[in-house]
């Protein structure tokens, strides 16, 4: 029995004797199946071929990513906080070195996931840190490929955690797509690609599907605007190493106004 992992999206499936026939994440129209078909690997093989980088990018904030890039290539972020650290989003690769370094930084009290493309190996990550809870919005339960008592489904518009950290459901990219607010400095938003920080790191974009280049509808962009407009933040951390380091709220406001102008 092996826990097979889709090499295209990096999401792990339950133990099985043979590879799954399909990947529900990749068959969704936000993702894709390669012309050569679905391909699979295991965590053990990934450990042998890849390694993780843990890089401090701000005071109390660490980016965690895999080299060479695997699957979607997103970053997770470890945020240190007085009453316990939180891991925002997940990457597929997890190994002894990664666990040791994170424990040296204070460990993990919980994991929060922005949307299904980053479900990766969330059950393995939880197990590695004493079965910590993994927060997934209930609207995205359909895309869970592995189940565990550690997975905590939440239904609120906002889920308040500790140290004034909160998860905010925005929708858009997925029905339950979320961002995380952390009250460090003048406030920070961790957004995955629910809100996509653009290459210039001075504005943002919104998409229903990034690889298939399907834009998000105007009503969904307005929904995201309404979900976060009451939050004060200065910094925004995206999923791919792109960060807006100052005046992030103004950048998002201007980007949304640009979208509305184009749509109208």
């Amino acid at each position: 029995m092996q826990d097979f992992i889709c090499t295209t999206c990096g999401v792990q499936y339950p133990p099985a004797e043979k590879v799954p026939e399909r990947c529900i994440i990749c068959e969704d129209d936000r993702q894709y199946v390669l012309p050569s078909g679905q391909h699979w690997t295991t965590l053990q093989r990934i450990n042998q071929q890849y390694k993780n980088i843990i890089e401090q990018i701000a005071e109390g904030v660490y980016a965690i990513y895999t080299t060479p890039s695997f699957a979607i290539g997103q970053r997770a972020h470890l945020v240190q906080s007085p009453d316990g650290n939180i891991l925002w989003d997940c990457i597929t690769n997890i190994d002894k070195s990664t666990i040791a370094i994170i424990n040296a930084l204070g460990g993990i009290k919980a994991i929060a996931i922005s949307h299904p493309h980053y479900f990766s190996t969330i059950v393995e990550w939880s197990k590695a840190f004493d079965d910590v809870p993994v927060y997934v919005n209930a609207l995205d339960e359909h895309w869970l490929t592995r189940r565990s008592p550690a997975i905590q489904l939440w239904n609120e518009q906002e889920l308040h955690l500790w140290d004034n950290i909160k998860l905010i459901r925005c929708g858009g990219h997925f029905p339950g797509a979320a961002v995380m607010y952390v009250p460090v400095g003048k406030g920070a938003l961790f957004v995955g690609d629910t809100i996509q920080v653009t290459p210039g790191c001075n504005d943002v974009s919104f998409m229903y599907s990034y690889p298939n280049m399907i834009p998000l509808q105007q009503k969904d962009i307005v929904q995201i605007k309404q979900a976060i407009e009451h939050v004060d933040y200065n910094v925004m951390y995206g999923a791919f190493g792109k960060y807006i380091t100052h005046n992030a709220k103004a950048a998002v406001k201007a980007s949304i106004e640009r979208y509305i102008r184009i749509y109208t």
Side-chain angles (χ1 to χ4, degrees):
M1 301 284 280
Q2 297 189 72
D3 301 329
F4 289 101
I5 294 170
C6 170
T7 61
T8 304
C9 69
V11 172
Q12 186 182 51
Y13 280 73
E17 293 183 356
K18 60 180 182 179
V19 298
E21 294 183 0
R22 52 192 289 261
C23 174
I24 62 171
I25 301 292
C26 290
E27 289 185 355
D28 179 81
D29 58 6
R30 278 159 280 226
Q31 187 59 7
Y32 61 92
V33 177
L34 291 169
S36 57
Q38 204 71 59
H39 300 276
W40 304 89
T41 186
T42 64
L43 186 56
Q44 292 74 20
R45 293 177 198 162
I46 293 171
N47 286 170
Q48 294 168 0
Q49 299 169 12
Y50 300 86
K51 68 176 182 179
N52 288 342
I53 304 295
I54 300 179
E55 174 187 354
Q56 185 171 12
I57 56 174
E59 184 176 355
V61 180
Y62 294 80
I64 306 172
Y65 55 96
T66 298
T67 184
S69 182
F70 177 74
I72 294 175
Q74 77 272 13
R75 292 183 170 200
H77 289 90
L78 178 71
V79 182
Q80 294 177 311
S81 195
D83 287 337
N85 301 343
I86 188 163
L87 184 70
W88 170 249
D89 278 331
C90 255
I91 58 175
T92 304
N93 189 36
I94 179 169
D95 54 25
K96 292 181 180 179
S97 175
T98 301
I99 295 167
I101 294 171
I102 291 175
N103 279 329
L105 292 170
I108 294 172
K109 182 174 181 176
I111 300 168
I113 304 296
S114 64
H115 70 288
H117 287 156
Y118 304 155
F119 282 168
S120 61
T121 51
I122 52 176
V123 173
E124 304 292 344
W125 279 84
S126 174
K127 288 180 181 177
F129 296 97
D130 299 321
D131 296 315
V132 296
V134 181
Y135 294 108
V136 171
N137 190 270
L139 293 178
D140 292 339
E141 180 183 8
H142 167 74
W143 286 277
L144 282 168
T145 57
R146 288 195 67 182
R147 301 284 176 156
S148 164
I151 296 175
Q152 303 293 308
L153 299 174
W154 57 285
N155 293 283
E156 302 90 334
Q157 178 63 38
E158 296 186 358
L159 179 65
H160 294 258
L161 300 176
W162 62 92
D163 295 337
N164 294 318
I165 298 170
K166 62 181 177 181
L167 308 181
I168 305 169
R169 186 180 72 238
C170 295
H173 186 39
F174 269 84
V179 300
M180 180 175 73
Y181 170 76
V182 179
V184 295
K186 296 180 180 179
L189 275 188
F190 292 78
V191 296
D193 56 13
T194 298
I195 302 170
Q196 179 80 296
V197 178
T198 58
C201 296
N202 58 1
D203 57 14
V204 300
S205 185
F206 308 89
M207 296 287 279
Y208 174 77
S209 169
Y210 290 97
N212 298 324
M213 295 179 285
I214 304 173
L216 202 60
Q217 296 183 70
Q218 178 178 345
K219 67 178 181 64
D220 294 318
I221 297 173
V222 171
Q223 177 178 303
I224 294 171
K225 171 183 178 292
Q226 293 171 343
I228 63 171
E229 62 186 353
H230 67 289
V231 179
D232 290 324
Y233 58 95
N234 186 54
V235 179
M236 178 169 284
Y237 295 94
F240 299 98
K242 302 292 191 299
Y243 309 128
I244 302 176
T245 57
H246 60 280
N247 296 329
K249 185 168 185 175
V252 171
K253 181 177 183 292
S255 297
I256 291 174
E257 289 174 350
R258 178 179 61 189
Y259 265 94
I260 300 303
R261 286 197 303 270
I262 292 171
Y263 276 120
T264 55

